[in-house]
Amino acid sequence: MHRVTLVVVGDFQIMSCAAAAAFDIANYFAGRTFYKVRVVSESGGIARSSVGIAIATERLSGTCDTLLVAGPTAIAPSPQPVLAFLRREAARSRRVASICTGAFILAEAGILDGRRATTHWLYTRELQARYPRVRVEEDRIFTHDGRIWTSAGMTAGIDLALALVEDDLGLEIARQVAKGLVIYHRRGGAQVQESALLSMAAKSDRIQTALSYARENLRSELSLEDLAAAAHLSVRQFTRAFRQETGRSPAKAVEALRVEVARVMLEEGSHSVEEVADASGFSDRDRMRRAFVRAFGRTPQELRRHNREVGQQERKH
């Protein structure tokens, strides 16, 4: 049996507990109780999340195979007994992981020194500033460096848990667990944290409708006239309103949506560059290449090569 210990500190984020659901579902699809999950805190007893939901915990003790640290809402110094427990267990557990701002606790304990790590996008720069020995990767959903895993914020903890399940039980079980959790898309670690649609944050329903139309029809030409019609505005009204609400031109917004879809397809690795260009609406690979260089400073081939190298390094560990 694989023992998972979830450590909660302070007013923890309740979403950190969502990762435990992946281990529960994994037991079902594995056909046996492969995972046993326990939650611990400094004093044991009832621990309250930042939203007020309380869970029962045990006092810090025992050994485990996977040591998992939940993300606290407030970034504050951790109790010394917690840090001592983490250092001790990190040295003898099979792997150590954090969800969201739990990376700050691992960093405070010195466990992330010299390691690649990530956290919620709101706090990546603060993590780097506080702990310069940590190699913070701002864009990744999760990282895997040797025995140490970290995830970005909120739902990224589920992506991390699925990766841990795959590491233990294989890809097919992980896929079944993702399906059991009704996850639309199982994300790899290299995927960026913020979506293009969210970053544009259109204020009006009309502009949001146009963006949704564009996202659903990327393989079409998506002319200015098409987008204006979707918003039920004249071209002139649409162009002015779109720039006011998103801070960019419709053409740049469509390119950002296409780049996002293309990057995910390249990360999955099962499509050729030509297939990715076609599916994401770029008329040819050269046009996609120029868009990628503008967005990431790398060509699609260079980005795919980088992701493969990172994946190979992670598998070696």
Side-chain angles (χ1 to χ4, degrees):
M1 184 179 296
H2 186 103
R3 298 158 300 170
V4 179
T5 295
L6 176 63
V7 182
V8 296
V9 179
D11 293 332
F12 62 94
Q13 283 284 349
I14 194 64
M15 278 298 298
S16 296
C17 296
F23 302 121
D24 183 31
I25 301 298
N27 285 338
Y28 174 81
F29 284 108
R32 66 188 193 277
T33 305
F34 182 85
Y35 292 105
K36 181 179 180 181
V37 181
R38 58 193 291 262
V39 184
V40 303
S41 63
E42 180 183 7
S43 302
I46 298 299
R48 292 192 178 277
S49 69
S50 57
V51 76
I53 296 175
I55 61 172
T57 70
E58 301 174 26
R59 183 184 290 272
L60 296 173
S61 63
T63 60
C64 61
D65 299 294
T66 294
L67 182 63
L68 183 59
V69 181
T73 300
I75 309 300
S78 302
Q80 287 303 314
V82 172
L83 296 177
F85 174 80
L86 291 175
R87 294 185 187 107
R88 182 176 68 250
E89 289 306 306
R92 57 188 182 182
S93 61
R94 184 159 73 83
R95 63 190 175 197
V96 182
S98 65
I99 298 172
C100 194
T101 51
F104 281 83
I105 301 174
L106 290 186
E108 187 180 3
I111 295 169
L112 297 184
D113 286 355
R115 302 279 191 174
R116 294 185 299 109
T118 193
T119 188
H120 193 294
W121 61 269
L122 277 172
Y123 301 105
T124 50
R125 293 185 180 179
E126 183 177 351
L127 179 64
Q128 187 66 85
R130 288 194 184 203
Y131 304 102
R133 297 183 66 182
V134 180
R135 295 158 52 195
V136 178
E137 299 192 357
E138 295 187 19
D139 284 339
R140 291 182 66 90
I141 292 293
F142 62 83
T143 63
H144 173 200
D145 190 337
R147 297 168 48 249
I148 311 299
W149 302 65
T150 61
S151 85
M154 301 299 178
T155 59
I158 299 175
D159 298 290
L160 171 66
L162 287 170
L164 297 177
V165 170
E166 180 180 340
D167 191 48
D168 294 330
L169 298 171
L171 178 59
E172 186 53 37
I173 293 291
R175 284 175 175 166
Q176 291 176 338
V177 173
K179 187 175 181 179
L181 291 168
V182 197
I183 292 177
Y184 173 72
H185 175 68
R186 182 169 162 269
R187 300 177 293 183
Q191 187 166 332
V192 295
Q193 294 193 35
E194 187 175 8
S195 74
L197 276 177
L198 282 175
S199 68
M200 285 182 260
K203 298 180 179 64
S204 69
D205 289 343
R206 288 189 173 188
I207 301 303
Q208 186 59 54
T209 297
L211 284 168
S212 297
Y213 173 82
R215 179 62 179 80
E216 294 166 6
N217 296 275
L218 289 179
R219 299 183 76 164
S220 302
E221 183 182 347
L222 292 176
S223 66
L224 194 55
E225 290 76 13
D226 293 333
L227 297 174
H232 301 289
L233 293 170
S234 70
V235 169
R236 183 177 179 181
Q237 289 173 321
F238 173 74
T239 303
R240 182 172 61 251
F242 193 96
R243 188 177 286 277
Q244 286 176 345
E245 292 191 27
T246 68
R248 66 182 82 186
S249 69
K252 289 296 184 184
V254 170
E255 180 176 286
L257 292 172
R258 285 178 168 147
V259 164
E260 182 176 72
V261 169
R263 178 171 180 168
V264 171
M265 293 182 68
L266 285 170
E267 180 191 335
E268 291 172 345
S270 58
H271 308 278
S272 68
V273 174
E274 289 78 10
E275 289 172 332
V276 172
D278 179 64
S280 54
F282 290 105
S283 57
D284 55 59
R285 59 184 295 166
D286 288 336
R287 184 181 171 195
M288 185 171 76
R289 179 183 183 279
R290 292 192 295 272
F292 265 67
V293 170
R294 283 192 291 270
F296 308 119
R298 293 177 176 176
T299 67
Q301 293 88 343
E302 290 170 341
L303 193 63
R304 170 172 275 177
R305 190 180 309 116
H306 171 74
N307 288 340
R308 283 176 175 170
E309 290 172 354
V310 170
Q312 288 170 355
Q313 291 173 2
E314 291 178 346
R315 284 190 291 274
K316 284 180 182 178
H317 294 300

